[in-house]
Every structure is written in structure tokens, then in C-alpha cells.
């Protein structure tokens, strides 16, 4: 359905699949550990945000959508901000992993080694944790997009929401693997509680998005 609304894109220099995405995925497929799962989770979240922006942008100037235009204009701006945040998280995740490797290479005779290793693993958990928690805000935007967006493209909004959900789950997997190496039991407990609560609330939003989508079809 989306094709009826697209402008002519024939002047593009090269297919989207040949853009920097191809380079990123080639790097991810290599024998190097970065970019890895955390970076892919961040990229997935960014692509989800982009889809929500698109639906909002294809709604705000559409005749008959004047009443929801202010809401979706704000939604598009919030999604754009999150998209930029998620793109930055790709490198942040890689840097956190590199810091873990650096800490693990410290001579075991070094008195500060244990402390530095623990700090590195903690940071490596905090980066994807922040990503996963922030995706809840993206899902909240998805509810608005699917409820009020241009009916011709709300499927894209739902796809964005499902990708956001996948990004959250993926990010939390990255958190959990790092928690296994952290000795601070209080930090581990509180982090697990935050993830469980965020997942619970996200599941409710996901169900709401599916319900609204079915009603509008």
C-alpha cells in the first residue's frame, strides 16, 4: 500500500542496499567481535525509530489529519531524537566491549586489575541496559503512530514497533551476559528487576499496538 504515496526516487545515486549499511553488515559478519549483538540491537532500534518517523511524516500534511498533526509532529521529532541516540549507541557498545578486553588483558599481578575488570563489565552492562530501557519510550510513540497515523502506512508503524521490541529484548540479552561477570550482587539484582519491569510494560504496549492495528484494518 505504501507505494501509492512514494515520490519518485529514481534520482538516487545507488540502491539503499549498497549504502553504508552494507559495510556495517560486512563488519558484523567478520571474525572481529565488534560490531556484535549490542550494536545490531542499537541499529534495529534506530531503524524502528525511522519507520515511526516516516509514518508520522506521511500523516502530518495529509488532508483530513489536521487534528492529529501537532501530536504526530512532536512524535516524529521525539523519534528522530531517539534514532540519533541509538546510532550513537552502536559505537558506545563497541567501545564498552573493547574496554572489557583491555581490562582482561591487564597483568593478573596488578593490584587494581580486579577493580578495573569489574568496572569494565559494569559499563558493558549499562550501555545496552540504557538502550533497552529507552526503547520503551519508542514503543510509547509507536502506539500514537499506529492509532493516529495515515492508515495507508500504519503497517510500517507496526513493523517499527515489532523491531523496537526485538531491539529491547536483544539489548537485555547483552546486559545479562555481562551480569554473569559482575560480583556486585545488589547491582545485578536491581538491574534484573529493571529489565523485568521494562519487559512487562513493553509487553502491554505491544499488545495495545496489535489491538489498535487490527481495529484500523
Amino acid at each position: 500500500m505504501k507505494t501509492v504515496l512514494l515520490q519518485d526516487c529514481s534520482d538516487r545515486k545507488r540502491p539503499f542496499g549498497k549504502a553504508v549499511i552494507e559495510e556495517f553488515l560486512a563488519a558484523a559478519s567478520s571474525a572481529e567481535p565488534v560490531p556484535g549483538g549490542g550494536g545490531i540491537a542499537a541499529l534495529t532500534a534506530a531503524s524502528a525509530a525511522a519507520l515511526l518517523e516516516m509514518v508520522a511524516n506521511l500523516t502530518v500534511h495529509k488532508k483530513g489529519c489536521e487534528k492529529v498533526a501537532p501530536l504526530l509532529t512532536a512524535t516524529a521529532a521525539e523519534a528522530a531524537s531517539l534514532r540519533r541516540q541509538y546510532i550513537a549507541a552502536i559505537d558506545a557498545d563497541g567501545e564498552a566491549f573493547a574496554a572489557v578486553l583491555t581490562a582482561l588483558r591487564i597483568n593478573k599481578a596488578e593490584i587494581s586489575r580486579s577493580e578495573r575488570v569489574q568496572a569494565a563489565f559494569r559499563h558493558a552492562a549499562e550501555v545496552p541496559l540504557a538502550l533497552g530501557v529507552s526503547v520503551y519510550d519508542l514503543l510509547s510513540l509507536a502506539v500514537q503512530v499506529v492509532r493516529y497515523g495515515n492508515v495507508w502506512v500504519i503497517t510500517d508503524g507496526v513493523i517499527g514497533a515489532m523491531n523496537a521490541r526485538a531491539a529491547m529484548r536483544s539489548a537485555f540479552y547483552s546486559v545479562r551476559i555481562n551480569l554473569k561477570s559482575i560480583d556486585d550482587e545488589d547491582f545485578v539484582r536491581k538491574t534484573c528487576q529493571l529489565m523485568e519491569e521494562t519487559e512487562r510494560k513493553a509487553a502491554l504496549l505491544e499488545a495495545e499496538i496489535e489491538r489498535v492495528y487490527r481495529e484500523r484494518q
Side-chain angles (χ1 to χ4, degrees):
M1 292 189 294
K2 178 182 170 184
T3 52
V4 300
L5 299 172
L6 290 178
Q7 296 178 345
D8 181 15
C9 296
S10 59
D11 60 342
R12 283 193 287 106
K13 299 299 183 183
R14 56 179 178 167
F16 288 120
K18 295 295 183 181
V20 292
I21 295 171
E22 185 177 48
E23 298 171 19
F24 177 83
L25 294 179
S29 68
S30 73
E32 295 296 322
V34 174
I40 293 293
L43 176 63
T44 302
S47 68
L51 280 175
L52 299 186
E53 286 180 72
M54 183 199 73
V55 176
N57 287 328
L58 285 172
T59 304
V60 293
H61 300 300
K62 184 174 174 58
K63 184 177 180 180
C65 296
E66 293 81 5
K67 289 184 178 180
V68 299
L71 173 65
L72 291 185
T73 296
T75 296
E78 290 179 52
S81 178
L82 287 171
R83 173 169 52 83
R84 290 189 290 270
Q85 177 181 321
Y86 299 149
I87 291 172
I90 297 174
D91 285 334
D93 183 81
E95 290 165 4
F97 182 78
V100 168
L101 293 181
T102 298
L104 290 173
R105 292 185 184 119
I106 297 173
N107 192 307
K108 292 184 179 180
E110 289 282 342
I111 297 176
S112 63
R113 182 182 186 277
S114 178
E115 182 180 344
R116 292 169 66 180
V117 167
Q118 285 297 300
F121 272 115
R122 180 166 178 149
H123 183 59
E126 290 171 336
V127 170
L129 177 66
L131 170 65
V133 170
S134 74
V135 169
Y136 179 79
D137 295 331
L138 192 62
L139 284 168
S140 297
L141 297 179
V143 175
Q144 298 175 358
V145 164
V146 175
R147 178 174 287 134
Y148 301 115
N150 183 338
V151 70
W152 286 95
V153 287
I154 59 169
T155 294
D156 297 279
V158 173
I159 292 170
M162 297 306 104
N163 275 276
R165 190 77 170 89
M168 176 186 288
R169 296 187 66 191
S170 299
F172 286 164
Y173 272 113
S174 292
V175 175
R176 292 185 180 97
I177 192 62
N178 286 293
L179 291 181
K180 291 180 178 294
S181 299
I182 296 176
D183 296 333
D184 186 339
E185 295 181 0
D186 187 56
F187 174 78
V188 172
R189 177 179 57 81
K190 289 180 179 178
T191 300
C192 287
Q193 288 176 345
L194 177 57
M195 289 190 292
E196 289 169 4
E197 178 62 15
T198 304
E199 288 272 21
R200 184 189 66 79
K201 295 190 298 181
L204 294 175
L205 286 183
E206 183 179 11
E208 176 70 2
I209 290 166
E210 291 277 14
R211 183 189 65 78
V212 173
Y213 175 68
R214 287 194 297 271
E215 289 179 352
R216 296 195 65 195
Q217 292 304 294

